[in-house]
Amino acid sequence: MMTQALRFKNKVAIVTGAAQGIGEGVAIALAKEGAKVILADRSDLVDDVAKKLGKLKAKSLTVKVDLETYAGASKLISEAVKAFKKIDIIVNNVGGTIWAKPYENYDEDQIEAEIRRSLFPTLWCCRAVLPVMIKQQHGVVVNISSIATRSIHRIPYAAAKGGVNAMTASLAFEHAKDGIRFNAVATGGTEAPPRKIPRNKNKLSKQEEVWYQGIIDQTIDSSLMHRYGTIEEQVRAILFLASDESSYITGTVLPVGGGDLG
């Protein structure tokens, strides 16, 4: 076995959606294991994460971009290469359900917003980073998916994450020849502090609270362990796939949902 504390020594890693939640957890864990970390987010909250990495004496770079656009993804990759000359790892973590309700209650704009939020950042970042990793002839991409591909009250989000799974498998086929591995972690329900910036800024109606509770109940019921996981439990799986310990794994979606395979 490798010395775990040194798994990412001399590695350059990008983490998108790094300002809070799983993204923040991944960024801190990578830094603790020796990585130089690029923190990508569109929120100023990412500056607080950078301060935490500074206390660890880790080298980092903060890039504030909107990854729902290709221009934002391109800027992120350009800034990372400018600062560190290479990109060994990218963890594409941006995404998350905005509205929770039966599909017939979504309007057109909401459906498009869900897809932009939970599919396009991964599509754009994979496209933007590929030329760099092809030139290097190595790289690791870990896309954050979800077991919500089989769930209730979030069909557009499920469709977006199904797209993440499909592109992960297909990109692995295309680019194994270039020494690039693509995998995904399908996260299950995860206990996390309340979001500092909610995805949906509007207060939920009584009916929306019922629909959201339906997601929680279904998630717990579908898990063989009948509980939510922790951020740390998700981070461990993500770091495994980002590390050389998973060197013979590509094109795989790893469910981390207490037995719920999504």
Side-chain angles (χ1 to χ4, degrees):
M1 284 288 291
M2 300 178 181
T3 302
Q4 185 168 341
L6 300 177
R7 284 189 298 180
F8 301 103
K9 184 178 180 181
N10 298 322
K11 300 283 190 181
V12 175
I14 295 173
V15 181
T16 73
Q20 55 188 318
I22 291 173
E24 177 182 2
V26 169
I28 291 171
L30 284 167
K32 286 181 177 178
E33 293 198 35
K36 301 169 185 174
V37 184
I38 296 96
L39 304 164
D41 208 286
R42 61 185 178 187
S43 167
D44 288 338
L45 293 174
V46 74
D47 293 331
D48 295 332
V49 182
K51 291 175 183 176
K52 292 177 182 179
L53 267 58
K55 291 179 181 178
L56 296 171
K57 302 194 183 308
K59 291 185 178 180
S60 70
L61 171 70
T62 299
V63 183
K64 297 176 187 176
V65 284
D66 181 0
L67 294 175
E68 292 183 10
T69 70
Y70 183 60
S74 297
K75 179 181 177 181
L76 169 61
I77 300 307
S78 176
E79 292 291 325
V81 172
K82 181 179 177 181
F84 296 115
K85 311 304 180 190
K86 64 172 184 171
I87 300 169
D88 297 299
I89 300 159
I90 184 167
V91 178
N92 290 314
N93 172 65
V94 173
T97 304
I98 305 171
W99 294 278
K101 52 188 171 181
Y103 189 46
E104 65 270 22
N105 295 101
Y106 281 85
D107 63 35
E108 180 180 357
D109 290 343
Q110 290 172 340
I111 293 168
E112 290 186 356
E114 294 278 10
I115 299 299
R116 282 196 306 273
R117 176 65 177 171
S118 291
L119 176 60
F120 273 91
T122 300
L123 275 171
W124 294 144
C125 285
C126 285
R127 173 61 184 85
V129 81
L130 264 173
V132 176
M133 290 186 169
I134 291 171
K135 184 177 180 180
Q136 295 171 168
Q137 286 292 285
H138 78 267
V140 178
V141 179
V142 182
N143 295 324
I144 306 307
S145 180
S146 174
I147 60 167
T149 49
R150 289 175 63 89
S151 67
I152 62 171
H153 298 171
R154 43 184 172 171
I155 302 306
Y157 175 70
K161 290 305 188 180
V164 169
N165 292 348
M167 65 179 291
T168 298
S170 297
L171 284 166
F173 267 114
E174 278 195 2
H175 294 288
K177 70 182 187 302
D178 297 308
I180 308 170
R181 294 191 297 112
F182 289 84
N183 290 296
V185 170
T187 60
T190 305
E191 294 285 358
R195 289 184 61 84
K196 298 171 185 175
I197 300 177
R199 297 187 184 101
N200 183 354
K201 296 179 181 179
N202 298 322
K203 180 178 173 56
L204 298 183
S205 68
K206 293 294 184 182
Q207 180 60 73
E208 288 171 330
E209 289 177 355
V210 171
W211 286 332
Y212 189 81
Q213 186 62 46
I215 289 178
I216 295 172
D217 294 343
Q218 180 257 301
T219 299
I220 294 173
D221 186 60
S222 297
S223 166
L224 303 185
M225 301 175 79
H226 297 301
R227 68 172 176 85
Y228 268 42
T230 66
I231 287 177
E232 184 178 1
E233 286 172 320
Q234 301 298 339
V235 169
R236 289 174 191 157
I238 294 164
L239 261 64
F240 167 67
L241 290 176
S243 77
D244 292 340
E245 292 178 349
S246 62
S247 58
Y248 195 49
I249 301 174
T250 195
T252 296
V253 178
L254 173 63
V256 186
D260 186 347
L261 303 182

